[in-house]
Amino acid sequence: MTQKRIAIFGSTGSIGKQALEVIDANRDKFSVEVLTAHTNDELLVQQALKFNPNIVVIGDDKKYSKVKEALSKTDIKVFAGEDSLDDVAAMDCYDVMIAAIVGFAGLKPTLNALENGKTVALANKETLVVAGDIVMKKSAENRAPIIPVDSEHSAIFQCLVGESRNPIEKIILTASGGPFLGKKPNFLVNVKRDHALQHPNWAMGAKITIDSATLMNKGLEMIEAKWLFNLKPEQIQVIVHPQSIIHSMVQFEDGSIKAQMGLPDMKLPIQYALAFPNRIAAKFPRYDFKKPNTLTFEPPDVKTFRNLTLATDALNKGGNMPCILNAANEIAVFAFLRNRIGFLDITEMVERTMSKIKFIEKPTLDEYFESDGEARQFAASLIQL
Ligand code: NAD
Ligand code: MG
């Protein structure tokens, strides 16, 4: 097997670091060609010295000379700035992009990779939430596959292998419920950043950890699933499964349900996406059916966790509404992480922004960018950021 050349966009994040662990354990199968970071120059340099990529990009231009200097004894090319991310994504030096940048910032590089005919292992769900129609069209037009990395979508993707002629009746997205499962607004009103950052089952970047606590993450995942698997909103069900062992399920037209299971570990979906259509042997810990275990399921409390309702509204409405929801949420989470607003204010800000920004039914890419900008500005104005 020839080595697949991997470009990790967002290599210093939680997904990026785990992707490098997977690659490190399979050096015969994968080589690292591109690494990118936003601000963490020290980790980027460390990763570059270990994996010897062709190119590194540091988003923050002010750190260019530091990175250049630290890599001066190597052949590694160093670029800086946002535009460089887009340019490198459009280069021909890699086979698979791991899209592991967080938020709207991941959209352009991912679009460029698809335009360039590259396979995208997609962790960055916001890309599909913001402009899913355009992203999926680019993927189809350029025969550039998107392989999901998000654990729920990887589960569904795995359940669908061998089922290409069989229509899906519905998918069941599992949610852990996050750290505040069972809590009510009178508790949530006092929740602080550090408590919300403690996820029971997964160690992830700060933004997705807060999204998991507010259930916005599951809302974004519903929209992500719509685009990845070409589903109608009514075919997407969310169920709370606090143990996070079943990563999601597909129900077919005969009523049969397939589930993908395993201990919660993002390295598994990352590795699956990189190696697809093959599986690679790995020593990840196994689920043990001999231990006393109970798998439980319950409907989400959408009255308390209203973000899920807002995301469902955006999913049903379509157009630029998911883009508006996402932008307001990014601002709100940013503000919450800086202790500028309370936990319940996140939902409030998203709701107000969704009712304020002009609805566009079939936006162009430019209109998605404009909606994103307007929604961010409005959301920020609510708290004078
Ligand atoms: P993270 O915050 O740990 O890492 C984000 C990465 O993106 C870093 O390398 C950072 O340098 C880069 N980055 C941040 N802002 C940037 C910008 N403006 N421009 C360029 N680069 C930027 O995030 P994460 O937890 O690794 O999540 C990454 C993506 O994967 C998110 O979209 C998240 O929803 C998704 N995801 C993560 C997990 C998980 O377990 N962490 C699971 C499923 C999906
Ligand atoms: Mg997920």
Side-chain angles (χ1 to χ4, degrees):
M1 192 169 110
T2 51
Q3 273 186 324
K4 281 190 195 170
R5 299 168 304 164
I6 312 296
I8 309 183
F9 278 65
S11 65
T12 53
S14 160
I15 292 287
K17 286 188 281 191
Q18 294 180 84
L20 284 171
E21 283 181 47
V22 168
I23 293 171
D24 200 21
N26 297 283
R27 297 262 196 163
D28 55 327
K29 299 184 178 65
F30 307 115
S31 68
V32 177
E33 294 301 315
V34 178
L35 294 172
T36 88
H38 191 39
T39 52
N40 191 345
D41 57 303
E42 283 175 17
L43 182 56
L44 181 68
V45 165
Q46 213 178 307
Q47 292 176 337
L49 291 172
K50 178 164 178 189
F51 289 93
N52 194 30
N54 187 359
I55 294 173
V56 300
V57 184
I58 179 83
D60 180 355
D61 330 353
K62 292 193 289 298
K63 297 204 162 155
Y64 172 77
S65 43
K66 232 176 124 191
V67 176
K68 182 85 187 147
E69 169 69 31
L71 297 178
S72 60
K73 293 200 176 65
T74 72
D75 300 332
I76 302 168
K77 299 181 199 74
V78 181
F79 297 96
E82 210 178 294
D83 292 346
S84 300
L85 280 177
D86 302 343
D87 296 345
V88 171
M91 288 181 185
D92 214 20
C93 60
Y94 68 96
D95 303 309
V96 181
M97 169 192 276
I98 304 183
I101 289 177
V102 57
F104 185 88
L107 174 61
K108 263 208 187 156
T110 304
L111 283 173
N112 282 4
L114 295 170
E115 180 88 51
N116 194 7
K118 303 299 181 194
T119 299
V120 173
L122 186 75
N124 176 276
K125 62 193 82 184
E126 293 91 346
T127 289
L128 284 174
V129 172
V130 168
D133 53 346
I134 292 178
V135 174
M136 294 314 290
K137 194 157 163 250
K138 273 238 181 316
S139 159
E141 279 171 1
N142 298 288
R143 295 176 190 276
I146 299 178
I147 320 281
V149 167
D150 209 351
S151 57
E152 296 76 3
H153 305 74
S154 174
I156 293 163
F157 190 86
Q158 292 181 53
C159 291
L160 291 174
V161 169
E163 303 280 3
S164 58
R165 289 158 191 261
N166 296 323
I168 297 170
E169 187 167 88
K170 69 171 181 179
I171 61 160
I172 300 132
L173 284 179
T174 51
S176 70
F180 305 131
L181 177 62
K183 301 291 189 218
K184 296 291 171 198
N186 61 354
F187 174 91
L188 295 174
V189 71
N190 294 317
V191 156
K192 293 282 176 289
R193 160 189 197 277
D194 290 344
H195 192 180
L197 281 172
Q198 312 278 316
H199 194 279
N201 303 346
W202 302 95
M204 309 177 285
K207 194 239 170 200
I208 181 174
T209 306
I210 301 303
D211 284 346
S212 300
T214 65
L215 288 205
M216 180 58 94
N217 183 50
K218 212 48 55 180
L220 300 177
E221 289 182 354
M222 291 171 77
I223 301 169
E224 179 185 15
K226 166 193 153 140
W227 292 114
L228 281 172
F229 307 112
N230 193 21
L231 300 169
K232 298 194 177 64
E234 56 275 18
Q235 289 175 290
I236 305 169
Q237 184 185 356
V238 169
I239 192 93
V240 173
H241 165 46
Q243 299 80 21
S244 296
I245 298 298
I246 293 184
H247 300 307
S248 278
M249 301 178 252
V250 180
Q251 181 172 310
F252 295 93
E253 286 185 316
D254 58 357
S256 176
I257 300 170
K258 277 169 118 178
Q260 188 266 337
M261 304 173 65
L263 292 173
D265 182 347
M266 284 309 293
K267 287 204 280 296
L268 209 153
I270 292 169
Q271 174 172 303
Y272 185 81
L274 289 181
F276 180 78
N278 302 315
R279 287 187 187 270
I280 301 176
K283 295 222 165 6
F284 307 141
R286 274 26 178 189
Y287 182 73
D288 183 358
F289 279 95
K290 291 198 290 298
K291 282 196 189 142
N293 291 304
T294 315
L295 300 185
T296 61
F297 306 93
E298 58 189 277
D301 175 0
V302 293
K303 283 213 174 75
T304 303
F305 295 92
R306 288 198 310 116
N307 275 352
L308 202 49
T309 312
L310 294 177
T312 307
D313 291 347
L315 170 71
N316 287 326
K317 185 115 197 197
N320 62 344
M321 202 46 89
C323 171
I324 297 168
L325 166 104
N326 177 70
N329 183 59
E330 286 194 28
I331 296 293
V333 171
F334 178 87
F336 176 74
L337 283 169
R338 275 153 194 78
N339 298 314
R340 294 290 301 273
I341 62 171
F343 189 79
L344 295 175
D345 299 332
I346 298 174
T347 307
E348 182 79 24
M349 276 177 70
V350 173
E351 188 169 36
R352 286 182 65 183
T353 310
M354 283 170 74
S355 63
K356 177 76 181 181
I357 305 301
K358 192 176 106 212
F359 177 66
I360 307 173
E361 199 171 342
K362 276 224 159 289
T364 61
L365 187 59
D366 286 343
E367 285 171 330
Y368 279 125
F369 273 84
E370 281 158 26
S371 300
D372 174 80
E374 285 168 25
R376 276 168 200 272
Q377 209 174 10
F378 179 75
S381 75
L382 295 173
I383 37 168
Q384 286 95 41
L385 262 179

